Amino acid sequence: MRSDRLVAILLMLQRRGQVTAPEVAKELEISERTARRDLDALGMAGIPVYSVQGRAGGWRLLGGGRTDLSGLTASEARALFLVAGPAAAATPEVKAALRKLVRALPEPFREQAEAAASSLIVDSQSWGSSGATNQPPRFLDTLQNAVIQGVQARLGYVDNAGNETERIVHPLGIVAKGPSWYIVAHTDAGRRTFRIDRVSSVAVTDESVQRPENFDLAESWHEIATEADRRRTPVEVHAMCAPEGLGYLQTAVGDNLEIGAAATDGRVAVVIRGPSEYGIAGHLAGLVEWLEIAAPQSVRDHLARIGTALTNRYR
């Protein structure tokens, strides 16, 4: 992953003081072209990396790559951790590297660098057609800074019905869900999630965030996303599927499928979720050769009616 490489390159610069693209390429087993792009990306992210031309040239870290990384300003340290440390994207290796890097940062920078690394979740799978664009929403940077700084914010917010309200929130983290952006926040009514493109105004306060004990953004978002998926697909169908039909079933229903244990006859227990009984029956009607619905009876009834209609039309 690119985030792994960016952290690895920075640590190489810290350790050696200067590196060349061929050295980076050899150590990380990438092409020289990729190494140059990554070195340029560090500079574009605000990290004080600069190139030295000539026979003895290469890339250097401003400040000589000292052990305490004092060449980094607070905002530059935050920029690095935002680029390299999204909580859902970082591998165990990059998380370990980030922990080492935190220990090398000057004390005043550590807290905000750690906050930046854990302030963002990237969830690439979108929720259907959300109407959102790939452009970052207007108040994204302001809200992410509030998360990192640990301060409350006053939001103007437009709900699904078009009603605008104002509320005080305690920003806990930012989530990129497909093309949409969300802020997870603590409120007087408990944990809430707000779509950032519906935020109409933001006023950051000087009041500190009240962070729930042992809060973890990744775990919290998993709970939120699971509950949201269940609300969107409230119908739960229990069935037995022949092994040779599992691939067709997965193609038909995608992530709304849970595969269980195999029975003595070789068939596999499955749970399928969908938004409506008739809709899920329609999806499953073409799989009757491999699939036997056990419950609910209402879905079985829909399938029987669909079967009768097919027979009447095509016999």
Side-chain angles (χ1 to χ4, degrees):
M1 294 177 63
R2 192 185 192 201
S3 58
D4 299 64
R5 300 200 308 268
L6 293 175
V7 174
I9 291 170
L10 185 65
L11 293 175
M12 286 175 65
L13 283 163
Q14 177 196 352
R15 186 174 66 251
R16 302 180 184 180
Q18 177 174 309
V19 297
T20 65
E23 289 171 346
V24 171
K26 181 178 180 181
E27 181 149 339
L28 301 185
E29 297 181 347
I30 57 177
S31 68
E32 290 187 24
R33 183 179 179 183
T34 298
R36 290 190 182 91
R37 280 204 305 262
D38 287 347
L39 285 158
D40 289 337
L42 283 174
M44 292 173 64
I47 309 304
V49 175
Y50 65 100
S51 62
V52 178
Q53 303 301 317
R55 188 173 180 180
W59 275 264
R60 295 178 184 175
L61 183 66
L62 189 65
R66 289 186 289 272
T67 303
D68 65 356
L69 287 181
S70 56
L72 292 177
T73 66
S75 60
E76 289 164 348
R78 281 173 47 186
L80 170 68
F81 279 73
L82 284 171
V83 169
T91 63
E93 290 79 10
V94 77
K95 289 178 179 178
L98 288 170
R99 285 194 295 270
K100 293 177 183 177
L101 184 55
V102 164
R103 292 194 292 268
L105 287 171
E107 184 67 34
F109 298 173
R110 293 179 189 174
E111 184 175 350
Q112 287 195 22
E114 290 179 312
S118 61
S119 69
L120 176 66
I121 290 287
V122 178
D123 186 346
S124 59
Q125 185 178 0
S126 60
W127 275 322
S129 179
S130 64
T133 68
N134 289 322
Q135 293 296 322
R138 177 183 173 191
F139 295 108
L140 175 60
D141 289 343
T142 303
L143 290 171
Q144 187 157 37
N145 282 333
V147 173
I148 295 170
Q149 297 288 345
V151 292
Q152 299 176 36
R154 181 179 292 104
L155 295 189
Y157 192 73
V158 180
D159 64 19
N160 286 329
N163 302 313
E164 185 168 1
T165 58
E166 189 175 89
R167 63 196 80 192
I168 293 289
V169 302
H170 300 246
L172 302 173
I174 303 292
V175 177
K177 174 72 170 173
S180 300
W181 293 83
Y182 297 84
I183 179 166
V184 179
H186 177 66
T187 71
D188 291 340
R191 184 185 64 191
R192 292 291 185 271
T193 304
F194 304 96
R195 245 178 68 169
I196 299 179
D197 60 352
R198 290 184 182 155
V199 174
S200 57
S201 64
V202 177
V204 177
T205 75
D206 294 328
E207 298 294 324
S208 297
V209 162
Q210 296 177 14
R211 194 175 185 87
E213 188 176 358
N214 298 323
F215 175 81
D216 181 271
L217 181 59
E219 292 179 4
S220 182
W221 180 250
H222 177 73
E223 294 173 1
I224 292 167
T226 299
E227 178 59 28
D229 284 336
R230 292 199 176 276
R231 288 199 303 268
R232 293 174 61 252
T233 55
V235 179
E236 187 172 281
V237 172
H238 294 261
M240 300 299 293
C241 185
E244 59 269 27
L246 277 176
Y248 296 103
L249 180 59
Q250 288 175 315
T251 300
V253 301
D255 291 334
N256 294 323
L257 173 66
E258 296 177 19
I259 300 176
T264 54
D265 62 359
R267 295 187 302 170
V268 178
V270 295
V271 178
I272 306 141
R273 301 188 66 86
S276 69
E277 292 180 346
Y278 182 80
I280 200 168
H283 267 88
L284 301 180
L287 303 174
V288 65
E289 181 180 351
W290 305 286
L291 195 67
E292 181 181 354
I293 306 300
Q297 182 60 43
S298 53
V299 173
R300 291 168 58 95
D301 293 341
H302 281 303
L303 281 165
R305 286 190 287 272
I306 290 170
T308 299
L310 287 169
T311 299
N312 290 338
R313 174 159 294 189
Y314 294 110
R315 66 184 173 186

